[in-house]
Amino acid sequence: MNDIRRTILWVIFGFSIVLLWDQWQIHNGRSATFFPSPTATASKPVESANQSSVSAASAEVPQAQQRPAAGAEGGVAAIQAAAQVASSLPRERVSVSTDVLKLTFDTEGGSLVHSEFLRHHESHDVQAPVVLFDESKDRVYLSQTGLIGGADLPTHKTVMKLVSSERELKDGVDTLTVQFESPISGGVQLLKTYTLKRGSYAVDVKHEVRNVGQDAVSPQLYLQLVRDGNKIPGGSSFYSTFTGPAVYTEAKKYHKVEFGDIEKGKAEFDKESTNGYVAMVQHYFASAWLLADGVQREIFVRKVSNNLYAVGMIAPLQALAPGATRVLDARLFVGPQEEKQLETLAPGLELVKDYGWLTILAKPLYWLLDKLHGLLHNWGWSIVALVVLLKAAFYWLNAKAYASMAKMKAIAPRITEMRERLKDKPQQMQQEMMRIYREEKVNPLGGCLPIMIQIPVFIALYWVLLSSVEMRNAPWILWIKDLSSQDPYYILPLVMTLTTMLQTALNPAPPDPMQAKLMWIMPLVFSVMFFFFPAGLVMYWVTNNVLSIAQQWVINKRMGVPPQFNLPKFR
């Protein structure tokens, strides 16, 4: 029975390693080795993005009629067709800044083409702010809006006039306005006003549509985020985070859309809604277009050109009689995935901070971690305190598990002697083993079940620490200057490996020699991965190991089981 239990556990552990390897392969743009996934994204080389800079943002455009589009697919076709007509007027770029953002706009369409986060810096260079939106030889990531629904309406390719003069948020002022005005095109003029606020990553965007022609028009406003499909710079090969479009509606909730699914035309999401948002998500940061609840919108995700993708919304503005004006307010979020701020902006926006299927557990863990940080003012010590609290909450479950292990360790010599004596009589050996378990009141599964119950909680905590932007550039003590980066001297991973070995040595050794060797090899293989994990994650695991060893040691002594280090014999 004991052999069966251990075999099952090693099968589960081995299967987990296989899944991790497959995800590593997918994350690096290769096909899965064991379980090919239909959603695996083929990573395009950087050269693809180089070829898709300014002009590629509207390349590969099919023919479409310039008339009001019916449905999201027709709207997308109209956007693509409208983008073909590029203005020959000169264009310029203008940069504005607040206390948290530096944004660069292009007068072509009044589009946002570059953004810097002044309070978040690159891990490899503390002097360089994090860049999200960009239009360069290496990256394409833009925010665009415009009109469709009639011939020659102003689009994101229409060169507009900058009519505001302020470039910087001044002391004592809470808002900064940037306004663009299009030329009259198709009898329509578009005024686009961005309002930036102090301390905020949410930008209010007002679209004012004026019909200055002689005929009624029925324009539609589109808002889209365009991004290349390249992996984010500095990403790890040993853990994977999602990069790509996301759609949220109250009906279907939060849906991530893989770039590979867009390529294959298999993207699934709500096509129409009166609520929700569209977003582009990557590790720690996101952008999103938000419309007020009740505003009808058609949602689309499309391939723009080679290695370039868009997600967006189309909102009808109803018929405008000659001389009439229609205003539609939207909001553009461009910033870090700070959960508390995201919750205040729109329902479900905090889900861009992706905890996966364990969100129901991860959110309260983050709440508790944030409260601890409010007391300790150090994210490293907050992680340690959170693990201590979790170990205290699961103390009795762990005590049962370690007590069961201690009993198993105490009867291990009897089991080994019996197995040797009855090695040629397997049926009798099994009966004798069950008799010993009954006499000693030992449950072979007693050491596993209490621990397995806790696994989802600790996996959820893993995702909390991996996803929380607060860990970026957050110091702990001494040599740990950034909890989101690897330990520069690999001290924590070494401690983690040693504590894992000690914990393995304290466990009862399997009677089977091969299982005993595997019991050492598999944790060591698993520990190697931690040399490439962020320091905050390794610290959490080290703390958990140390507390587990302490509790197991105390219980073994209480039950009269002397510490024995079951070292394997490799021959």
Side-chain angles (χ1 to χ4, degrees):
M1 185 69 175
N2 190 36
D3 287 353
I4 294 174
R5 174 177 65 88
R6 294 189 181 279
T7 300
I8 291 172
L9 289 177
W10 285 122
V11 167
I12 293 172
F13 193 86
F15 187 74
S16 301
I17 295 296
V18 168
L19 290 177
L20 284 171
W21 175 262
D22 264 24
Q23 290 302 312
W24 182 22
Q25 294 289 84
I26 292 171
H27 181 66
N28 284 279
R30 296 185 286 270
S31 299
T33 305
F34 300 98
F35 303 99
S37 170
T39 61
T41 302
S43 177
K44 306 292 191 304
V46 173
E47 286 75 16
S48 297
N50 296 347
Q51 298 166 1
S52 11
S53 56
V54 179
S55 60
S58 54
E60 201 175 273
V61 182
Q63 295 297 320
Q65 296 179 351
Q66 294 302 299
R67 56 182 174 79
E73 292 182 1
V76 169
I79 294 171
Q80 292 173 320
Q84 282 185 306
V85 185
S87 173
S88 60
L89 294 175
R91 45 190 284 210
E92 61 175 315
R93 295 193 171 183
V94 55
S95 295
V96 300
S97 60
T98 68
D99 56 328
V100 296
L101 281 172
K102 181 179 181 181
L103 304 180
T104 299
F105 296 91
D106 193 329
T107 56
E108 182 180 73
S111 299
L112 180 55
V113 296
H114 189 85
S115 66
E116 298 178 7
F117 303 134
L118 303 181
R119 294 182 181 177
H120 292 270
H121 300 87
E122 296 291 353
S123 298
H124 62 275
D125 184 359
V126 295
Q127 301 301 318
V130 171
V131 173
L132 192 66
F133 287 126
D134 196 15
E135 189 176 32
S136 64
K137 63 182 180 64
D138 297 322
R139 291 287 309 279
V140 177
Y141 191 172
L142 313 168
S143 170
Q144 302 169 334
T145 68
L147 299 176
I148 56 173
D152 301 325
L153 293 180
T155 70
H156 66 273
K157 299 298 293 181
T158 303
V159 176
M160 307 177 78
K161 177 184 177 182
L162 179 68
V163 296
S164 57
S165 58
E166 295 296 328
R167 298 291 183 270
E168 186 175 354
L169 187 66
K170 297 179 179 178
D171 292 340
V173 179
D174 291 330
T175 61
L176 172 64
T177 299
V178 183
Q179 189 175 64
F180 298 92
E181 182 181 87
S182 79
I184 297 172
S185 181
V188 170
Q189 186 178 43
L190 173 63
L191 274 71
K192 191 182 300 187
T193 305
Y194 295 87
T195 302
L196 291 72
K197 299 177 182 178
R198 182 175 297 278
S200 177
Y201 295 98
V203 181
D204 293 333
V205 187
K206 181 174 75 172
H207 294 86
E208 185 176 348
V209 184
R210 300 172 179 173
N211 183 357
V212 296
Q214 301 299 314
D215 301 316
V217 293
S218 298
Q220 300 174 83
L221 175 71
Y222 65 87
L223 312 103
Q224 67 178 6
L225 301 165
V226 179
R227 189 193 191 285
D228 61 58
N230 296 331
K231 294 184 296 184
I232 59 174
S236 172
S237 297
F238 285 85
Y239 58 87
S240 177
T241 56
F242 175 74
T243 299
V247 175
Y248 177 88
T249 63
E250 288 184 6
K252 290 192 175 180
K253 303 305 179 185
Y254 184 72
H255 276 264
K256 296 178 289 188
V257 182
E258 299 278 355
F259 290 131
D261 286 342
I262 301 174
E263 288 278 353
K264 299 171 186 176
K266 295 182 178 179
E268 296 184 2
F269 54 91
D270 263 353
K271 303 289 193 300
E272 295 187 11
S273 180
T274 57
N275 52 65
Y277 62 83
V278 296
M280 278 286 186
V281 181
Q282 66 184 54
H283 197 197
Y284 296 133
F285 302 98
S287 61
W289 273 114
L290 315 171
L291 285 173
D293 283 355
V295 176
Q296 184 66 40
R297 79 284 311 264
E298 298 165 353
I299 301 169
F300 65 87
V301 175
R302 67 184 177 106
K303 179 179 178 180
V304 177
S305 69
N306 181 37
N307 194 35
L308 204 61
Y309 309 90
V311 60
M313 299 183 288
I314 301 170
L317 297 176
Q318 302 176 354
L320 271 77
T325 297
R326 190 88 64 209
V327 174
L328 183 62
D329 292 317
R331 183 175 286 183
L332 174 64
F333 170 79
V334 48
Q337 297 170 7
E338 296 175 355
E339 193 167 328
K340 292 188 293 184
Q341 291 193 21
L342 294 172
E343 288 175 341
T344 64
L345 293 177
L349 187 58
E350 75 278 4
L351 296 176
V352 298
K353 183 182 179 183
D354 187 19
Y355 295 137
W357 61 280
L358 287 172
T359 298
I360 192 171
L361 294 176
K363 285 180 71 67
L365 286 175
Y366 172 79
W367 177 86
L368 182 55
L369 180 66
D370 183 62
K371 294 298 182 183
L372 290 170
H373 180 259
L375 295 173
L376 302 175
H377 306 291
N378 181 288
W379 286 107
W381 289 119
S382 300
I383 293 170
V384 173
L386 180 58
V387 178
V388 171
L389 290 178
L390 288 175
K391 295 298 288 186
F394 288 116
Y395 177 83
W396 294 112
L397 273 176
N398 286 323
K400 288 181 177 293
Y402 296 144
S404 179
M405 290 180 184
K407 289 181 180 179
M408 290 293 295
K409 195 167 187 176
I411 66 172
R414 290 181 61 187
I415 296 292
T416 302
E417 183 277 329
M418 181 272 297
R419 285 174 60 90
E420 185 64 28
R421 178 166 43 86
L422 300 176
K423 60 183 177 181
D424 297 325
K425 301 176 181 178
Q427 186 174 357
Q428 186 177 348
M429 180 197 300
Q430 188 69 25
Q431 293 173 349
E432 183 68 11
M433 188 180 301
M434 297 306 296
R435 183 186 65 80
I436 295 174
Y437 288 157
R438 284 194 301 270
E439 287 180 357
E440 300 294 336
K441 298 180 180 179
V442 172
N443 181 358
L445 296 178
C448 300
L449 292 178
I451 293 176
M452 290 181 69
I453 292 172
Q454 303 170 54
I455 288 177
V457 175
F458 282 96
I459 293 177
L461 180 55
Y462 163 89
W463 282 108
V464 167
L465 299 179
L466 183 63
S467 304
S468 295
V469 69
E470 292 87 349
M471 303 301 149
R472 292 190 80 258
N473 301 314
W476 179 37
I477 55 172
L478 300 177
W479 74 100
I480 302 296
K481 306 298 184 183
D482 183 357
L483 291 170
S484 70
S485 299
Q486 299 173 17
D487 183 334
Y489 305 112
Y490 300 105
I491 295 174
L492 282 176
L494 284 172
V495 174
M496 188 266 177
T497 302
L498 292 174
T499 55
T500 300
M501 293 174 66
L502 178 57
Q503 196 171 16
T504 303
L506 289 173
N507 290 333
D512 180 50
M514 181 56 68
Q515 288 184 356
K517 292 176 182 178
L518 285 174
M519 186 177 174
W520 280 87
I521 293 173
M522 297 300 281
L524 287 175
V525 171
F526 186 68
S527 297
V528 169
M529 297 170 58
F530 279 79
F531 280 76
F532 306 93
F533 274 29
L537 285 172
V538 184
M539 184 176 64
Y540 131 69
W541 207 271
V542 167
T543 306
N544 182 65
N545 278 2
V546 169
L547 294 175
S548 298
I549 290 168
Q551 187 177 5
Q552 189 171 357
W553 190 290
V554 169
I555 289 174
N556 283 359
K557 288 192 67 176
R558 186 183 302 164
M559 297 186 66
V561 179
Q564 295 178 356
F565 299 97
N566 301 309
L567 300 176
K569 297 178 181 179
F570 293 98
R571 286 183 289 183

